[in-house]
Amino acid sequence: MAEDLVLDTAIRDWVLIPLSVVMVLIGVLRYFVSKLMRSSQNPDAKLVKEGQVIVRARNLRAAANFIPPKSFRARRFYYSNEENGLLFVPKGQAQNAQAQMFSDPNMAMDMMKKNLSMIIPQTLTFAWVNFFFSGFVAAKIPFPLTQRFRGMLQNGIDLSTVDVSYVSSRSWYFLNLFGLRGLFSLILGEENATDDTQRMMQMTGFGFDPSKSLGAEKDGLDIVQHDWTMPKFERRAESVLRKLVR
């Protein structure tokens, strides 16, 4: 049977709170360091144009049912026709993202700077946490959990008798590492450089491939089943007005 522990208030004052404050400060500091290391060159006009086309096509898909069928077909043809459509990319003109990165040294340098700005602070922070705070039970979650959460919440504690709702200091570090995105969005804004989950995913790739994004958006726009909702609103408004008149 799992045992209930009484957590010392000193652990809260000298482990839990300092670790949380340090993680927030490191995230804010890394954001400003990333801004300083960011290249000041102007973005490629072609990439900006293609990105704007993708956003406009995505908005068309989202609001397709609010425009008449004729207007939707005209807009879809403007985007996806195979002669001069904005989303159509001929096979010979598809650009490889890896070749683009290696042909542009500034892009490769920016990617390396972004990765280093994430790897170095988190490596040093993890070493600091592992050296000073290893083995502490830092907090307790106020609701019961299953045994599947033990490996995630009690990293560094090899005691099967401790209840799963207790959180070790090392696990608290990882929870702060991947769970402070909302707080950073409030402090730094939505477009911040502290989303470690997204940046770890970006480390596995070699850059943005506009041809694939354009092709995927074209396929998504082609399969949209248009259903104009305005007549339904008109009939509903008419029925409501008739009820009010009566």
Side-chain angles (χ1 to χ4, degrees):
M1 183 177 178
E3 298 180 359
D4 291 333
L5 302 179
V6 179
L7 300 181
D8 191 353
T9 56
I11 296 179
R12 177 198 61 194
D13 298 336
W14 297 100
V15 177
L16 188 67
I17 296 178
L19 187 57
S20 302
V21 172
V22 167
M23 292 298 297
V24 173
L25 293 178
I26 288 178
V28 174
L29 180 62
R30 193 171 72 245
Y31 167 73
F32 289 107
V33 171
S34 300
K35 288 187 65 176
L36 293 176
M37 297 174 62
R38 193 175 303 165
S39 172
S40 60
Q41 63 177 358
N42 296 326
D44 189 0
K46 183 179 179 182
L47 292 177
V48 174
K49 181 180 178 180
E50 291 173 346
Q52 293 296 326
V53 168
I54 293 173
V55 172
R56 290 166 58 191
R58 194 171 298 163
N59 293 336
L60 176 61
R61 282 197 297 116
N65 295 331
F66 296 99
I67 59 177
K70 184 177 179 181
S71 300
F72 173 73
R73 288 194 297 268
R75 286 170 171 81
R76 180 164 62 180
F77 180 80
Y78 175 71
Y79 281 108
S80 61
N81 74 87
E82 297 186 358
E83 294 182 359
N84 55 357
L86 297 180
L87 295 176
F88 178 71
V89 180
K91 294 183 178 180
Q93 297 182 6
Q95 189 174 12
N96 191 350
Q98 299 183 15
Q100 179 185 0
M101 186 193 72
F102 289 115
S103 62
D104 188 1
N106 292 325
M107 183 181 297
M109 183 63 66
D110 288 343
M111 183 175 294
M112 184 180 67
K113 289 178 180 179
K114 291 179 181 178
N115 294 337
L116 289 178
S117 67
M118 184 196 71
I119 294 174
I120 294 178
Q122 297 307 333
T123 302
L124 296 177
T125 308
F126 180 74
W128 172 68
V129 172
N130 198 36
F131 182 79
F132 288 100
F133 304 118
S134 180
F136 283 99
V137 178
K140 182 181 180 181
I141 296 178
F143 48 83
L145 296 171
T146 61
Q147 293 294 326
R148 294 184 178 182
F149 291 90
R150 184 178 295 276
M152 181 179 67
L153 296 179
Q154 295 182 1
N155 193 316
I157 298 178
D158 299 328
L159 292 176
S160 59
T161 58
V162 179
D163 190 78
V164 184
S165 58
Y166 288 96
V167 183
S168 66
S169 56
R170 190 185 299 178
S171 296
W172 184 253
Y173 160 78
F174 286 110
L175 291 176
N176 281 273
L177 178 63
F178 297 106
L180 290 176
R181 179 180 180 181
L183 180 61
F184 288 136
S185 297
L186 292 175
I187 298 176
L188 305 173
E190 291 292 336
E191 298 295 332
N192 62 78
T194 58
D195 188 358
D196 292 320
T197 306
Q198 182 180 4
R199 297 180 66 185
M200 284 185 176
M201 293 174 62
Q202 292 176 352
M203 289 173 60
T204 60
F206 291 93
F208 173 68
D209 191 353
S211 60
K212 291 183 180 180
S213 300
L214 292 172
E217 198 62 38
K218 178 181 179 299
D219 295 338
L221 193 59
D222 289 338
I223 64 176
V224 170
Q225 299 294 329
H226 185 267
D227 183 17
W228 192 23
T229 58
M230 190 59 67
K232 299 179 182 179
F233 293 153
E234 291 178 352
R235 289 193 294 267
R236 183 178 177 183
E238 183 180 357
S239 62
V240 172
L241 289 176
R242 286 180 178 179
K243 290 179 181 180
L244 293 175
V245 170
R246 291 177 185 176

